Amino acid sequence: MEKKIHNFFQSGLLEKYILDEITTSDSLKVEHYIDTYPEVESEYLRLQNNLEILAKADAKEAPKFILDNILDEVEKTSIPVIKMETSRRRTPWYSIAASVVALLFAGTAFMMYQQNQELLRENQVVVEEVFDLRKDIDNNNEKLDDVMRQFMKLNNPETEKYVLRGNSRAKNLKTVAYINAVEKTSMIDVVSLPQLDKDQFYEVFAKMEEDLVSLGILDPSEKKMQSLKYMKDALGLSIRIGSKKGNETNAIDDEEVAEIELKTKNN
C-alpha cells in the first residue's frame, strides 16, 4: 500500500487536482484517494491550508457598499440562494514550487551527508593503513638492527667460529657456534637438524671440567641465529638428543650426536 501511495504522489495528480488542470476521470481518482487514504487526505489538507494562507496574505478588503448592493439584489430576486460546498481545489503554483524546492534541498543535503560519511570512512582506512605501514617499518628496522648487531658480533676479531657436525645418529646435523670470550657472548646458527619424534629435542651443553651444563634447547623452526648461555671455563660443546618424561626433560644421559673442543683462549 505504501508503494501505491508513493506512486500516486509521484504522479503529480494531486497537484494537478489542486490547480484544476486535470481530467474528469483523474479527478475522480484523486477524490477516491483522498477519501480512502489518510496520508493523501493529510497532504491535500496541507496544500489547502497553504492556499488559504497565501490567499489571505494577498487578499484586499472589498468596499462596504458592494456587500450592501449584493444583499439588496438577493432580496429582490425570488430565486433561492443555494449554499455551495467548499471545493477541494486550487493551490497556487508557487506553493507547489516551494514544496518541490524543499524536497530537492532535503535530497541534496542527504546526498552530501552520505558523501561526507563515505569520505570519513575512507580517511579512517587511510589512517589505519599508514599506522600499519609505520608499524611494519618499525618492525623491519628492529629486525635490521638485530641483524646488524649479529653481523658485527660475527665479524668481531675476538669471535671464534666452531662447526658442529652430526655423528652416525644424526648425519645431517650441522650447526655453527660463535663464541666471543671478550664480550662473553655465545650464539649458534642452525644450518640443518634431522627431524625427531614429538617427545624428543636437541639440547646444547658446555663441557666443563667435571660435568655438563645446559646452554639451551635448539629450536629447529628458528632459522635465524639463536643465543646460548655463555660459559667462561667451557672445554667444549656437545649436542645431545633429549626426551620429555611427563613434565620433566632430560638429555644428559642420552648419547651425544655432535661435539667439539673449544680453543684454550675461550676457557
Side-chain angles (χ1 to χ4, degrees):
M1 185 177 68
E2 292 181 359
K3 184 177 180 181
K4 186 176 181 182
I5 296 174
H6 175 74
N7 292 336
F8 172 76
F9 283 137
Q10 293 293 321
S11 69
L13 291 177
L14 184 59
E15 289 80 3
K16 292 180 180 179
Y17 179 81
I18 296 295
L19 296 172
D20 199 20
E21 297 177 352
I22 194 170
T23 62
T24 303
S25 59
D26 287 339
S27 179
L28 293 174
K29 180 179 179 181
V30 172
E31 292 176 355
H32 169 72
Y33 270 77
I34 293 174
D35 294 334
T36 305
Y37 302 105
E39 296 91 338
V40 179
E41 182 181 17
S42 176
E43 180 63 11
Y44 170 77
L45 293 176
R46 187 185 70 81
L47 295 175
Q48 281 291 95
N49 184 57
N50 291 340
L51 174 62
E52 292 176 3
I53 293 173
L54 292 172
K56 290 179 181 179
D58 295 334
K60 296 182 179 179
E61 185 176 358
K64 294 183 179 180
F65 70 86
I66 293 178
L67 178 59
D68 295 335
N69 292 340
I70 293 174
L71 292 176
D72 291 340
E73 288 296 322
V74 170
E75 289 177 358
K76 291 178 182 179
T77 181
S78 60
I79 301 174
V81 178
I82 301 175
K83 185 178 180 181
M84 300 298 292
E85 294 183 359
T86 303
S87 177
R88 301 173 178 174
R89 299 294 174 94
R90 309 279 176 119
T91 296
W93 64 270
Y94 39 82
S95 177
I96 298 174
S99 299
V100 172
V101 170
L103 290 174
L104 290 175
F105 177 78
T108 303
F110 179 71
M111 290 178 62
M112 293 181 65
Y113 171 78
Q114 285 185 319
Q115 291 176 356
N116 184 57
Q117 293 298 310
E118 183 64 26
L119 288 174
L120 289 175
R121 285 192 291 269
E122 291 178 358
N123 183 63
Q124 183 62 31
V125 171
V126 172
V127 170
E128 292 176 355
E129 290 178 350
V130 170
F131 178 80
D132 292 339
L133 180 60
R134 289 179 177 176
K135 186 176 181 180
D136 291 340
I137 292 174
D138 291 339
N139 291 336
N140 290 334
N141 288 337
E142 290 180 1
K143 292 179 180 179
L144 181 60
D145 290 341
D146 185 51
V147 171
M148 289 300 297
R149 285 192 296 268
Q150 291 181 358
F151 179 78
M152 291 176 64
K153 289 180 180 179
L154 297 183
N155 286 274
N156 190 316
E158 300 297 333
T159 299
E160 297 290 343
K161 176 181 176 180
Y162 301 92
V163 178
L164 287 85
R165 301 182 184 276
N167 56 22
S168 59
R169 291 194 59 187
K171 293 182 179 180
N172 295 328
L173 183 149
K174 183 179 180 180
T175 62
V176 182
Y178 299 88
I179 300 175
N180 189 312
V182 175
E183 296 184 359
K184 301 186 184 307
T185 59
S186 179
M187 298 181 296
I188 189 167
D189 182 17
V190 177
V191 180
S192 63
L193 287 176
Q195 187 173 359
L196 299 173
D197 295 336
K198 292 182 179 181
D199 60 344
Q200 292 181 317
F201 56 89
Y202 291 101
E203 188 169 2
V204 183
F205 289 89
K207 291 184 176 181
M208 308 303 291
E209 189 70 34
E210 297 180 353
D211 57 2
L212 296 175
V213 177
S214 176
L215 301 181
I217 295 176
L218 296 181
D219 185 355
S221 64
E222 187 65 54
K223 299 304 180 182
K224 67 178 183 179
M225 200 79 66
Q226 300 180 40
S227 296
L228 295 176
K229 186 191 308 182
Y230 174 78
M231 297 300 296
K232 179 179 178 181
D233 298 321
L235 301 177
L237 297 178
S238 173
I239 299 178
R240 296 170 177 258
I241 298 177
S243 59
K244 297 179 181 179
K245 298 177 181 179
N247 295 327
E248 297 181 356
T249 59
N250 182 26
I252 294 179
D253 296 334
D254 291 341
E255 181 180 352
E256 63 184 7
V257 294
E259 65 175 335
I260 194 170
E261 293 184 358
L262 301 180
K263 297 179 180 180
T264 306
K265 69 175 183 177
N266 289 316
N267 296 342

